Amino acid sequence: MGREEFLFLLTGLKWTVALSAVAFVCGCVAGLMVALLRTSGVAIIERLTAGYIAVFQGTPLLMQLFVVYYGLALIGIQMDAWAAVSVGLTLHASAFLGEIWRGSIEAVPRGQTEAAKALSLGYVSRMKDVVLPQAIRISLPATVGFLVQLIKGTSLASIVGFTELTRAGNIISNQIFQPLTVFGIVGALYFLMCCPLTIYGAHLERKFLTASR
Amino acid sequence: MSQVRTSDNSIEPMISLSGVGKWYGAFQALDSINMSVAKGEKIVLCGPSGSGKSTLIRCINHLEAYQKGDIHVGGIRLGHGSKVIDAVRREVGMVFQQFNLFPHLTVLQNCMLAPMRTLGLNKPQAEGRARTLLERVKISEQAEKYPAQLSGGQQQRVAIARALCMRPKAMLFDEPTSALDPEMVKEVLDTMIALAEEGMTMICVTHEMGFARQVADRIVFMASGVIVEEAPPAEFFSNPKHERTRKFLGEVLGRH
Amino acid sequence: MNYTLDFTPVIDGLPNLLWACLGTFTLAISGMLLAIVIGIGGVILRQSRVKLLRWLVIGFVELIRNTPFLVQIFFIYFALPLAGIRLDPTPTAIIALGINGGAYAIEIIRGGVQSISKGQTEAGLALGLHKAQVFRLIILKPALRTIYPSLTSQFILLTLTTSIASAISAYELTSVSQRIESDSFRSFEVYFTVTVFYLVISWVMMRIFAFFSARYFSYPLR
C-alpha cells in the first residue's frame, strides 16, 4: 500500500472524527432533553420518552440509519448522506445518553432534591445547580463508554454510502487487493481513537469507586 | 491414605497440633504451635488481631495450608492429600464470622446439602436430621426461608445447625459473634453454651470474655503467631503471668 | 409531498422476511453459544499462571472492544480463506459474532466470579464438599445471577449486531430486506417494517431472558 492510499484512509479518518464529534455534541444536547423529560414526573411524558429510548435500544443502528435516511427523503427533506447520517447518529445518541443520564439523575440521593425544594429553589435551579452537577459526575464513565460505542457506530455510515474510514478502507481494498493489510490499518486507526477513551473511562470509574467508598 | 487409627482411649486427644508453622511468603503467621484438645474439652482462643488465632483454627480443617509440623484430628493425621482433608472436614464443623450461609438455598436446604452430598444421606434422612437440629438452635419455624430474610443472630444459629448436621466430633468457631449487632450476641452465645453443656469438643476464637469464663476449660492466649500463655479461666483472669496477657486483658475488659 | 406509501412489496416478501427472522435468531443464538465458550475459556486463561497468556487475553479483549464490528467481520471474512478455511458467509458471521461477543463475555464472567466472596468457598470446603461440588452447588448459581443482567443485555446487543452481518451477505433479516428493497425501491416501507421486526425480536429475547431469571434467580438477596 502506497502513500497515496494511506492519505486516502486519513481523509476517511477525518470524516469519522467529524461525524463522531457532530453526533456526540448534538446527541448530548438532545440527550439532556430526553433525560429531563424521562424524569419529569409527568407520567405520560415519561412513558413516551421511555418508548423512544426502547425503540433505539431495541433495533439495530444500521436500521435506524436506513429509516432516517429514506424517511427524511420521504417527507421532502433532501439531504446528502453526510447530513442524513449525522441526524441518524444524533437521534441514536440522544436515546442512549438520555437513558444513561436518567440513571445518573435518579442516582443522586432524594434528599438533595428535597433540600433544594426546602430552600425554595425552582425546577431550573434545582436541576442546574444541585442535581445535574452531581449526576454528570456519576454518569461520566458510562458517557465516555458510549462515546467509544458511537465512534465504532459511525463505521455503519459506510453501508449507507458515506465515505468515512471504513468505506475508504473498502475502496482501497478493492483497488489494491490487499484486504488484510487495509483492514488491519483501518482497525488500528479505530483502536488508536477508542483505546485512550476506554482507558480514560476505566480511570474515571476507579476514581469514582474510591471516592464513593 | 496416611490415616492412622488409634485406640478410642479417652486420654488420646481429639485434636493435637505439634510444631505447626505457617508462612505467608516471608511473614511467619504461626510459629511451632503445640496444642492438644481432649474429647469434650472447650478451648477459648484469644489474642490481639493479627496474632494468628484465626489462622490456627483454619489450619485444623486445612482451609489454610501449613508448611511445618503435624495435626491430628480424631485419630486421623491431616496430610495434604484431598481424601484425608475431606475426611477431617467431615469430622470437624466450622462456624464463620460472616455466617457464610448459601444465599440461593433455603435454611433447610443449607442444612441438608452437605449430609446428602458427602455423607450419602437420602433426602428424608437429611431433612429429618436438619429439622431436629434447627429445633435445637430454636429456629425450626424459619426452615423454609432464605438466609437474607433472617437477622444476623438467626443466620449464625442456622450456620451452627448446618455444621452440626454433619454430626461432627468437634466444632471450630471463628469469631462467631464479631459481625453481629450487640443485641443478637446473646442468642448465639446461648446456643454455644447449650452445645458445650452437651459435651461437644469446641475451639472458639472469641473476644467474649464472659463466655470464656463460663464455658472454657482452658484459655489459650496468642500473640504474633505463638502461644504466649494457657490456663484455666479462673487463673487466666486473676493471675495472668505474661505482660502481654495483662495488657490484652486490660484492653478487652476495659480496665486501664 | 406527493409520495404515497406502498407496502405491497413488503407484503409480498413477508414469507421471505419471516424466514429471515429465523436466520437472525440462528445467527444470534449460535453467536451467543460461541461467545460463552470463548468467555469461559478466556476467563480461565486470564487467571493462568503464565503471564504471556494473561496478556494475550487482555490484548484480545481490548482489540475487540476498541474496533468496529464491521471492520472485524471484514477482516475475518478475508483472513479465513488465507488461513485455508473456506466457509460460507453465514458460518463466517457466526464466528465473527462469537469472537466479538466472547470478548465482552470474558469481562462480564470475570466480574461475576470475583463477586462471590471467598467465605462461600470456605464454608463449602469446611462442610467436606469437593472443589468441583463447591463450584457446581455453591458458586455457580449466585455468580450467574450476578452477571445475568449484564450478560443478557450484551446478548441483546449481539442480536442487534447480527444486522451488520449483511455486509458479507450472511443469511439474516437485513440482507434479505436489502434484496427486497433493491428489487422494489420501496426503501422506507421495507426498512420501517424490518425495524419493527427487530423490535419484536429483541422484545421476545428479553421476555425469554426474564422468564429464566424469574424461574432460577428468585431467591431474596437482602
Side-chain angles (χ1 to χ4, degrees):
Chain A
M1 190 167 83
R3 202 181 111 87
E4 204 69 357
E5 284 86 5
F6 188 68
L7 283 178
F8 186 67
L9 287 184
L10 287 187
T11 315
L13 176 68
K14 190 184 77 190
W15 283 110
T16 290
V17 172
L19 197 53
S20 308
V22 167
F24 186 67
V25 171
C26 299
C28 278
V29 175
L32 183 61
M33 303 307 289
V34 172
L36 291 176
L37 292 176
R38 183 71 183 79
T39 55
S40 61
V42 184
I44 177 79
I45 293 181
E46 289 192 355
R47 295 275 293 273
L48 283 174
T49 341
Y52 175 83
I53 293 169
V55 166
F56 280 94
Q57 292 197 333
T59 56
L61 174 57
L62 183 54
M63 277 301 141
Q64 294 162 22
L65 294 181
F66 278 148
V67 168
V68 169
Y69 186 76
Y70 294 110
L72 283 174
L74 202 79
I75 56 174
I77 303 173
Q78 288 301 326
M79 276 187 179
D80 54 7
W82 148 251
V85 166
S86 299
V87 172
L89 284 168
T90 297
L91 293 176
H92 175 81
S94 73
F96 276 78
L97 290 173
E99 176 66 3
I100 290 172
W101 293 341
R102 172 197 67 86
S104 321
I105 288 172
E106 285 175 357
V108 175
R110 275 198 71 79
Q112 293 292 309
T113 308
E114 285 167 2
K117 278 182 183 164
L119 291 167
S120 77
L121 295 180
Y123 175 80
V124 175
S125 169
R126 222 155 60 217
M127 278 295 165
K128 184 169 69 74
D129 301 321
V130 179
V131 177
L132 285 181
Q134 304 182 56
I136 286 170
R137 221 176 72 87
I138 297 171
S139 74
L140 224 44
T143 306
V144 173
F146 178 72
L147 176 56
V148 173
Q149 292 297 120
L150 192 63
I151 294 174
K152 293 189 290 177
T154 60
S155 68
L156 298 187
S158 66
I159 299 180
V160 183
F162 177 65
T163 307
E164 41 62 75
L165 181 53
T166 304
R167 192 165 146 87
N170 266 320
I171 294 168
I172 298 293
S173 164
N174 286 336
Q175 279 175 8
I176 65 173
F177 303 112
Q178 293 171 338
L180 286 195
T181 317
V182 174
F183 285 113
I185 292 171
V186 168
L189 289 172
Y190 276 110
F191 186 82
L192 288 176
M193 273 186 288
C194 295
C195 196
L197 287 170
T198 302
I199 292 170
Y200 179 59
H203 165 78
L204 285 175
E205 189 152 10
R206 265 197 308 277
K207 208 172 91 179
F208 182 69
L209 276 180
T210 37
S212 64
R213 200 168 282 159
Chain B
M1 251 205 282
S2 56
Q3 187 172 331
V4 185
R5 283 275 168 200
T6 48
S7 60
D8 199 29
N9 190 329
S10 61
I11 297 163
E12 189 68 35
M14 178 66 80
I15 296 170
S16 74
L17 296 83
S18 54
V20 171
K22 172 168 179 67
W23 286 262
Y24 292 108
F27 173 74
Q28 184 160 19
L30 294 177
D31 186 6
S32 8
I33 299 289
N34 293 302
M35 189 164 102
S36 142
V37 182
K39 187 166 185 292
E41 204 176 8
K42 291 104 187 94
I43 306 289
V44 163
L45 209 56
C46 63
S49 66
S51 58
K53 51 198 194 305
S54 282
T55 308
L56 175 61
I57 67 165
R58 289 159 58 88
C59 281
I60 294 171
N61 64 353
H62 211 281
L63 283 183
E64 302 277 356
Y66 51 94
Q67 285 83 27
K68 236 184 74 195
D70 269 326
I71 297 180
H72 285 79
V73 177
I76 306 171
R77 180 177 172 276
L78 185 57
H80 294 280
S82 65
K83 275 195 174 161
V84 190
I85 293 172
D86 285 338
V88 166
R89 285 174 180 165
R90 283 196 290 271
E91 306 280 2
V92 182
M94 185 171 220
V95 175
F96 299 86
Q97 184 179 350
Q98 299 295 341
F99 330 137
N100 293 340
L101 294 180
F102 307 131
H104 58 301
L105 302 178
T106 62
V107 163
L108 192 64
Q109 288 167 336
N110 260 280
C111 293
M112 291 164 60
L113 178 73
M116 286 172 70
R117 298 290 176 164
T118 66
L119 303 181
L121 264 60
N122 63 28
K123 210 173 164 197
Q125 289 171 327
E127 185 173 337
R129 191 185 276 194
R131 289 202 185 273
T132 310
L133 284 158
L134 287 171
E135 187 83 35
R136 222 165 96 187
V137 300
K138 302 190 176 63
I139 207 156
S140 49
E141 69 283 4
Q142 316 278 9
E144 319 299 333
K145 288 196 179 165
Y146 285 94
Q149 295 166 311
L150 305 185
S151 73
Q154 290 173 322
Q155 289 194 49
Q156 194 60 297
R157 283 187 283 145
V158 171
I160 293 172
R162 177 176 75 177
L164 291 176
C165 280
M166 296 294 286
R167 301 248 166 96
K169 290 183 179 153
M171 288 281 286
L172 309 173
F173 291 84
D174 189 0
E175 305 207 27
T177 56
S178 303
L180 293 175
D181 292 336
E183 71 272 18
M184 292 170 186
V185 169
K186 189 174 175 298
E187 59 183 89
V188 171
L189 288 181
D190 285 347
T191 309
M192 291 169 66
I193 291 166
L195 193 59
E197 282 165 356
E198 286 162 25
M200 175 62 77
T201 310
M202 293 162 66
I203 304 181
C204 312
V205 174
T206 181
H207 295 292
E208 296 293 336
M209 288 302 132
F211 170 80
R213 204 187 290 266
Q214 182 182 349
V215 168
D217 296 308
R218 250 185 313 149
I219 299 180
V220 176
F221 176 71
M222 285 183 74
S224 316
V226 298
I227 293 178
V228 175
E229 174 163 0
E230 52 179 303
E235 193 184 329
F236 183 82
F237 288 111
S238 60
N239 192 15
K241 290 187 187 59
H242 285 79
E243 178 53 37
R244 295 189 76 163
T245 318
R246 278 194 288 274
K247 186 164 171 286
F248 174 77
L249 283 175
E251 278 159 13
V252 295
L253 299 176
R255 292 191 230 116
H256 293 280
Chain C
M1 192 166 58
N2 42 18
Y3 185 93
T4 33
L5 291 173
D6 178 9
F7 281 91
T8 320
V10 178
I11 293 163
D12 291 342
L14 215 51
N16 281 338
L17 288 174
L18 289 175
W19 278 111
C21 285
L22 207 61
T24 291
F25 263 111
T26 311
L27 276 189
I29 304 278
S30 326
M32 280 175 213
L33 293 178
L34 185 56
I36 289 175
V37 172
I38 291 175
I40 293 172
V43 169
I44 293 170
L45 289 182
R46 180 79 164 71
Q47 287 164 344
S48 146
R49 255 173 268 169
V50 186
K51 210 174 179 179
L52 179 69
L53 284 177
R54 290 204 305 268
W55 279 104
L56 276 178
V57 176
I58 294 172
F60 165 75
V61 169
E62 292 310 327
L63 190 66
I64 296 297
R65 292 206 301 179
N66 289 297
T67 52
F69 179 69
L70 184 57
V71 175
Q72 290 163 17
I73 200 171
F74 278 142
F75 192 88
I76 291 168
Y77 182 70
F78 291 115
L80 285 180
L82 288 180
I85 305 168
R86 306 215 160 267
L87 289 176
D88 286 339
T90 303
T92 305
I94 290 173
I95 291 174
L97 286 163
I99 287 176
N100 183 273
Y104 289 94
I106 288 175
E107 285 302 282
I108 294 170
I109 295 172
R110 198 168 68 93
V113 173
Q114 282 173 346
S115 74
I116 304 303
S117 81
K118 230 177 114 224
Q120 291 285 308
T121 306
E122 289 180 348
L125 291 175
L127 287 166
L129 298 170
H130 306 301
K131 267 190 177 169
Q133 286 177 315
V134 169
F135 181 77
R136 193 160 51 84
L137 301 170
I138 296 170
I139 306 294
L140 191 59
K141 197 166 178 180
L144 275 179
R145 177 175 176 159
T146 312
I147 64 173
Y148 196 78
S150 35
L151 199 60
T152 49
S153 58
Q154 195 61 49
F155 282 161
I156 299 282
L157 273 180
L158 186 136
T159 307
L160 300 177
T161 305
T162 57
S163 77
I164 301 177
S166 61
I168 60 166
S169 312
Y171 178 71
E172 47 70 66
L173 191 50
T174 302
S175 59
V176 170
S177 68
Q178 280 171 327
R179 226 168 297 148
I180 296 176
E181 187 259 353
S182 63
D183 289 345
S184 67
F185 298 106
R186 290 287 167 182
S187 318
F188 180 79
E189 290 89 334
V190 173
Y191 290 135
F192 180 80
T193 310
V194 168
T195 301
V196 174
F197 278 25
Y198 273 113
L199 204 54
V200 173
I201 289 175
S202 49
W203 183 81
V204 167
M205 284 277 193
M206 267 188 266
R207 295 317 306 161
I208 294 174
F209 289 144
F211 171 78
F212 282 116
S213 172
R215 205 176 151 83
Y216 294 108
F217 303 128
S218 56
Y219 59 90
L221 281 182
R222 71 183 89 214

